[in-house]
Amino acid sequence: MSRYRLDYLDQLESEAIHIMREVAGQFEKPALLFSGGKDSITLVHLALKAFRPGKFPFPLVHIDTGHNFPEALQFRDELAASIGEKLVVRKVEDTIRKKQLTEPKGKFASRNALQTYTLLDTIEEFGFDACIGGARRDEEKARAKERIFSVRDEFGQWNPKLQRPELWNTYNGRINKGENVRVFPISNWTELDIWNYIKRENIALPSIYFAHEREVLQYEGQLIAVSEFIQLEETDSIVHKKVRYRTVGDMTCTAAVESDASGIDDIIREITATKTSERGETRIDDKVSEAAMEDRKKNGYF
């Protein structure tokens, strides 16, 4: 008699759904951080499988820097409306005014570091004790140091040397007053896993993940979308190219890749052939220093 065996995508899906249900069971006020990018869209899809026909036991929360791709914001709003779930948006621009923060200067002035203030204020405003996010261990080496349940102290800070052991599928959500936990249900997924799952589940995505014509700035081997958020100079090389985005961050710090991949099968072939991670190839803010991501995470960044 043959026995049914789960394939690897079924196993990853089952693990992620189990983690989400653990969050719902262990925490009083969780949230799902949602940006309109492929990883957070995958999380929403997994949450639908975990909790339907009931409502989500958490709102969708977006920390909006004001420098987002309009295609991602439009998709964010349309998806939240289509599934009938609450979307909370808090803007970094409001935090800058409230706290009188100094905005970064320069050609690609990113607000990514300032996101931390808005995120921590939002956690305090709603009393969130757990925030679910779409980080994966293959993205960047600091991500690989995280546990699936990653505790932040009362100041929102992360200490990579104080990580709890996680044995099999047992997750410890006990925290002291003022602490909160960042939860990563797709931590064990890779970029290729995400795309194979998107294909299998027929998950819709923003158009910028697929090849399209765009005006870009050629800068140190990278292709940066021309926008009002970057400082152009007369000597800059502006070209029109067919590109797509492997990851969707701010327009100030996310580079495109030249591509003809108009469908998911084309993208899967591209990713299978590449030797660089999505963040390593396309995220300018991670190139500030060897420990750029880890430094931001220690200060409260997701």
Side-chain angles (χ1 to χ4, degrees):
M1 181 178 177
S2 62
R3 293 190 303 170
Y4 174 71
R5 294 185 63 185
L6 299 177
D7 70 14
Y8 82 101
L9 287 178
D10 290 325
Q11 292 175 22
L12 290 173
E13 178 189 76
S14 178
E15 178 189 50
I17 289 173
H18 169 71
I19 292 166
M20 285 196 171
R21 289 174 175 167
E22 281 292 303
V23 171
Q26 293 194 43
F27 298 95
E28 294 182 4
K29 290 186 176 181
L32 191 157
L33 298 188
F34 178 65
S35 65
K38 69 181 186 306
D39 296 318
S40 61
I41 291 169
T42 298
L43 286 180
V44 170
H45 185 82
L46 290 164
L48 289 169
K49 289 198 169 192
F51 302 112
R52 283 296 189 255
K55 299 284 287 183
F56 289 178
F58 40 67
L60 308 180
V61 176
H62 184 214
I63 306 302
D64 183 356
T65 63
H67 292 168
N68 302 100
F69 287 89
E71 298 95 328
L73 292 181
Q74 180 180 347
F75 191 94
R76 175 201 71 184
D77 294 340
E78 290 175 352
L79 179 58
S82 70
I83 62 176
E85 295 293 343
K86 181 179 180 181
L87 173 65
V88 174
V89 178
R90 290 295 179 267
K91 297 183 177 182
V92 173
E93 190 171 348
D94 293 337
T95 306
I96 291 171
R97 286 197 299 264
K98 180 181 176 181
K99 295 183 179 292
Q100 297 184 331
L101 301 176
T102 301
E103 287 210 51
K105 307 295 182 183
K107 193 173 190 65
F108 306 109
S110 172
R111 289 177 173 173
N112 260 10
L114 301 182
Q115 271 185 293
T116 298
Y117 295 96
T118 310
L119 174 59
L120 296 180
D121 285 350
T122 305
I123 290 172
E124 183 178 4
E125 177 186 353
F126 291 93
F128 293 137
D129 51 3
C131 293
I132 301 168
R136 306 187 322 269
R137 288 178 176 140
D138 72 320
E139 290 180 274
E140 201 273 343
K141 58 188 178 183
R143 301 281 203 202
K145 295 182 180 181
E146 293 271 24
R147 297 292 190 265
I148 289 175
F149 274 27
S150 184
V151 178
R152 300 301 198 268
D153 65 21
E154 64 270 26
F155 303 106
Q157 297 179 331
W158 173 65
N159 186 341
K161 295 182 179 179
L162 293 178
Q163 295 282 291
R164 295 173 175 177
E166 289 181 338
L167 305 176
W168 299 286
N169 61 350
T170 302
Y171 305 105
N172 180 3
R174 294 182 181 178
I175 54 175
N176 297 315
K177 184 176 178 59
E179 295 177 338
N180 64 82
V181 174
R182 309 293 168 83
V183 181
F184 306 109
I186 58 172
S187 186
N188 290 327
W189 299 45
T190 66
E191 181 187 12
L192 187 58
D193 295 334
I194 291 289
W195 280 103
N196 280 323
Y197 187 73
I198 287 168
K199 176 184 176 181
R200 189 185 83 170
E201 300 291 308
N202 195 27
I203 299 172
L205 294 175
S207 59
I208 56 176
Y209 280 109
F210 303 95
H212 59 283
E213 297 284 342
R214 186 181 288 269
E215 194 174 41
V216 292
L217 163 66
Q218 290 183 314
Y219 185 82
E220 295 184 354
Q222 293 188 305
L223 302 174
I224 317 299
V226 173
S227 73
E228 61 186 296
F229 309 123
I230 63 174
Q231 296 181 10
L232 294 177
E233 301 169 10
E234 291 184 2
T235 55
D236 284 335
S237 174
I238 308 298
V239 295
H240 209 79
K241 284 186 175 292
K242 199 171 187 179
V243 300
R244 72 175 188 87
Y245 288 85
R246 291 178 67 183
T247 181
V248 177
D250 278 1
M251 297 184 77
T252 55
C253 63
T254 309
V257 293
E258 200 163 358
S259 173
D260 291 315
S262 58
I264 292 180
D265 287 333
D266 299 327
I267 291 173
I268 288 173
R269 281 192 289 270
E270 276 190 4
I271 295 169
T272 302
T274 190
K275 295 181 180 180
T276 57
S277 71
E278 59 193 287
R279 292 191 71 97
E281 182 177 18
T282 65
R283 291 302 288 266
I284 300 170
D285 52 335
D286 287 346
K287 301 178 186 296
V288 174
S289 73
E290 281 291 315
M293 171 65 79
E294 184 163 331
D295 289 342
R296 294 201 304 273
K297 288 170 71 65
K298 286 178 180 179
N299 290 327
Y301 184 78
F302 202 80

